[in-house]
Amino acid sequence: PVTDDNRIAVRLTARQANSIRHIVPLGDMLLFTSGAEWLITSQNSDAITPTSIDYKTQGYIGASDVQPVVTNRSVLYAQDRGGRVREMLYKWESQGYDTNDISIMAPHLFDEYSIVSMAYTRAPYSAAWCVRSDGVLLGCTYVPEHQVIGWHRHDTAGTFESVSAIPEGSEDALYAIVKRSVDGRDVRYVEVLHPRVFATIADCFFLDSGATYDGAATTTIKGLWHLEGENVVVLADGAVVKDKTVSNGQITLDQAASKVHVGLSYTADLKTLPLRADALQAAGQGTVKNVNQVRLRVKDASSIFVGPSFDALRQVKQRTTEPYGSPPNLVTGVQTIAIDPLWDEDGAVCVRQSDPLPISVLSMTMEVEFGG
């Protein structure tokens, strides 16, 4: 006779014969196959046994082989076909689980690509991370209880191959396998996303494949064999030093420094969507616009460039009373800058940070003129 502790063997009655790819616990047992999503429950709301098991389809999308990630109360998974990322969460209105495409607002990041690896970091920032088939890392700031789903793209001098989130102390560290071409050969490095917490400008670390020297003041920084032959950027005691090439595993600075970060540079770009004005016909779409002035509210920022396009940027002047020869202090508050005129239909504003320094844009207001 069948008893409750026997193995459970059941054939899912479905329109297609699909392979089971993932079993995910989220209050209920969720089953992801190549062509559908299933809810596994008990017929009598008790423990699942060979005689009480029940199952219901929750959607007919399907999941790829990439391992899903579990957030606070939902599951994020890569769609089987089409390269999209979906969430599966319980909705009391339908008394079941809904599957939603959370990449629908950024289709240009997913069309013609697929997802090969996923990870999720809970602290200090709630974010999902996806490696695209071309080696680009996509991040998603994901706070569903506040309806915050924002995608961002991360490039590097190489390609990302895999990511994983590992708890370390009070935060989740994002580790990545990165393939790079260094000194004429292909290498793979295990790299970790550096925390964004810093006490002084000298502690800032915004570099790829970087390393840190912290000791007596010196002009020679060694131990850089992993960047042999590469053109690197340096943050020496908070001052930016560019165009240094690693030779024999070291670089030489023009001035001695005690805290030095060395690595590959990257550029952080932000561009606003086409400007909308409800007071104008068609919300201003099709009307030429010119942004005269921009007010940025920033936090702990430095080396800010703003303009109507990335080819016409102006730097925000932030140096005040800092001693001569020292880097400008980080600024927090509203920064006002008049940008170059550009009449077009978008009225977009571009913000760039190309130095290994921080920038957090909290809000933006603009002074705009509208044409006829």
Side-chain angles (χ1 to χ4, degrees), residues 84-230:
R84 296 302 184 93
V85 176
R86 307 186 69 90
E87 68 174 354
M88 188 173 182
L89 72 167
Y90 185 82
K91 292 292 185 66
W92 66 270
E93 299 94 334
S94 58
Q95 293 297 298
Y97 288 82
D98 286 350
T99 63
N100 305 308
D101 184 358
I102 65 171
S103 53
I104 190 66
M105 299 301 290
H108 61 288
L109 297 179
F110 298 89
D111 290 345
E112 310 300 328
Y113 301 103
S114 60
I115 303 301
V116 299
S117 180
M118 292 182 65
Y120 180 74
T121 55
R122 293 173 174 80
Y125 308 105
S126 179
W129 302 91
C130 305
V131 177
R132 213 166 60 180
S133 53
D134 63 343
V136 170
L137 177 64
L138 301 178
C140 178
T141 303
Y142 183 76
V143 190
E145 57 266 32
H146 296 292
Q147 297 181 341
V148 175
I149 300 176
W151 288 95
H152 30 96
R153 167 180 172 153
H154 301 261
D155 300 301
T156 187
T159 57
F160 292 91
E161 294 187 337
S162 178
V163 289
S164 179
I166 300 176
E168 292 185 352
S170 60
E171 66 178 54
D172 292 333
L174 182 71
Y175 282 82
I177 302 297
V178 185
K179 180 181 178 181
R180 303 186 185 278
S181 179
V182 177
D183 197 25
R185 58 192 181 94
D186 290 338
V187 295
R188 285 178 172 84
Y189 295 149
V190 179
E191 302 184 17
V192 61
L193 189 65
H194 197 280
R196 290 181 57 91
V197 179
F198 45 85
T200 66
I201 191 172
D203 297 320
C204 298
F205 192 100
F206 295 90
L207 299 162
D208 280 347
S209 194
T212 299
Y213 168 82
D214 190 358
T218 181
T219 58
T220 302
I221 308 300
K222 301 179 180 180
L224 302 175
W225 289 104
H226 68 291
L227 295 172
E228 181 66 23
E230 296 296 305

Side-chain angles (χ1 to χ4, degrees), residues 58-371:
Q58 305 298 297
Y60 285 98
I61 300 297
S64 70
D65 291 328
V66 178
Q67 183 175 352
V69 295
V70 179
T71 69
N72 181 27
R73 53 191 180 92
S74 64
V75 179
L76 303 183
Y77 66 97
Q79 185 175 304
D80 181 51
R81 294 174 296 276
R84 296 302 184 93
V85 176
R86 307 186 69 90
E87 68 174 354
M88 188 173 182
L89 72 167
Y90 185 82
K91 292 292 185 66
W92 66 270
E93 299 94 334
S94 58
Q95 293 297 298
Y97 288 82
D98 286 350
T99 63
N100 305 308
D101 184 358
I102 65 171
S103 53
I104 190 66
M105 299 301 290
H108 61 288
L109 297 179
F110 298 89
D111 290 345
E112 310 300 328
Y113 301 103
S114 60
I115 303 301
V116 299
S117 180
M118 292 182 65
Y120 180 74
T121 55
R122 293 173 174 80
Y125 308 105
S126 179
W129 302 91
C130 305
V131 177
R132 213 166 60 180
S133 53
D134 63 343
V136 170
L137 177 64
L138 301 178
C140 178
T141 303
Y142 183 76
V143 190
E145 57 266 32
H146 296 292
Q147 297 181 341
V148 175
I149 300 176
W151 288 95
H152 30 96
R153 167 180 172 153
H154 301 261
D155 300 301
T156 187
T159 57
F160 292 91
E161 294 187 337
S162 178
V163 289
S164 179
I166 300 176
E168 292 185 352
S170 60
E171 66 178 54
D172 292 333
L174 182 71
Y175 282 82
I177 302 297
V178 185
K179 180 181 178 181
R180 303 186 185 278
S181 179
V182 177
D183 197 25
R185 58 192 181 94
D186 290 338
V187 295
R188 285 178 172 84
Y189 295 149
V190 179
E191 302 184 17
V192 61
L193 189 65
H194 197 280
R196 290 181 57 91
V197 179
F198 45 85
T200 66
I201 191 172
D203 297 320
C204 298
F205 192 100
F206 295 90
L207 299 162
D208 280 347
S209 194
T212 299
Y213 168 82
D214 190 358
T218 181
T219 58
T220 302
I221 308 300
K222 301 179 180 180
L224 302 175
W225 289 104
H226 68 291
L227 295 172
E228 181 66 23
E230 296 296 305
N231 186 274
V232 296
V233 66
V234 182
L235 190 70
D237 290 340
V240 178
V241 181
K242 298 182 178 180
D243 296 328
K244 293 293 182 181
T245 302
V246 178
S247 178
N248 293 324
Q250 64 184 36
I251 61 171
T252 301
L253 303 176
D254 298 330
Q255 296 182 355
S258 57
K259 179 169 285 188
V260 181
H261 309 297
V262 184
L264 302 173
S265 65
Y266 59 84
T267 299
D269 285 340
L270 179 155
K271 184 177 181 179
T272 61
L273 293 173
L275 186 62
R276 173 188 174 94
D278 292 335
L280 299 179
Q281 184 178 3
Q285 304 308 303
T287 302
V288 292
K289 314 167 187 69
N290 179 53
V291 180
N292 295 324
Q293 195 175 69
V294 178
R295 295 178 179 88
L296 289 178
R297 182 175 293 276
V298 298
K299 180 180 183 297
D300 295 332
S302 183
S303 188
I304 310 167
F305 288 82
V306 186
S309 69
F310 290 115
D311 296 325
L313 297 174
R314 290 188 181 182
Q315 185 174 12
V316 177
K317 305 301 181 183
Q318 66 185 67
R319 181 178 289 277
T320 54
T321 59
E322 296 88 346
Y324 178 78
S326 64
N329 295 326
L330 300 177
V331 296
T332 297
V334 177
Q335 303 294 306
T336 303
I337 181 171
I339 65 175
D340 294 338
L342 178 63
W343 288 92
D344 62 10
E345 294 184 357
D346 289 343
V349 173
C350 299
V351 182
R352 170 168 288 176
Q353 165 61 283
S354 56
D355 290 336
L357 293 169
I359 179 172
S360 295
V361 179
L362 305 181
S363 65
M364 179 188 303
T365 57
M366 296 167 283
E367 180 183 299
V368 187
E369 292 184 13
F370 295 91

Side-chain angles (χ1 to χ4, degrees), residues 16-29:
Q16 297 177 333
N18 298 317
S19 59
I20 297 175
R21 289 179 170 169
H22 310 286
I23 300 177
V24 180
L26 189 72
D28 299 307
M29 179 183 292

Side-chain angles (χ1 to χ4, degrees), residues 42-60:
S42 173
Q43 296 176 356
N44 53 16
S45 300
D46 201 351
I48 298 176
T49 67
T51 57
S52 68
I53 188 171
D54 194 13
Y55 52 88
K56 297 178 181 178
T57 56
Q58 305 298 297
Y60 285 98

Side-chain angles (χ1 to χ4, degrees), residues 10-43:
V10 61
R11 182 183 295 276
L12 302 180
T13 304
R15 299 177 61 187
Q16 297 177 333
N18 298 317
S19 59
I20 297 175
R21 289 179 170 169
H22 310 286
I23 300 177
V24 180
L26 189 72
D28 299 307
M29 179 183 292
L30 302 178
L31 210 65
F32 293 85
T33 72
S34 57
E37 297 79 27
W38 298 79
L39 170 64
I40 307 299
T41 59
S42 173
Q43 296 176 356

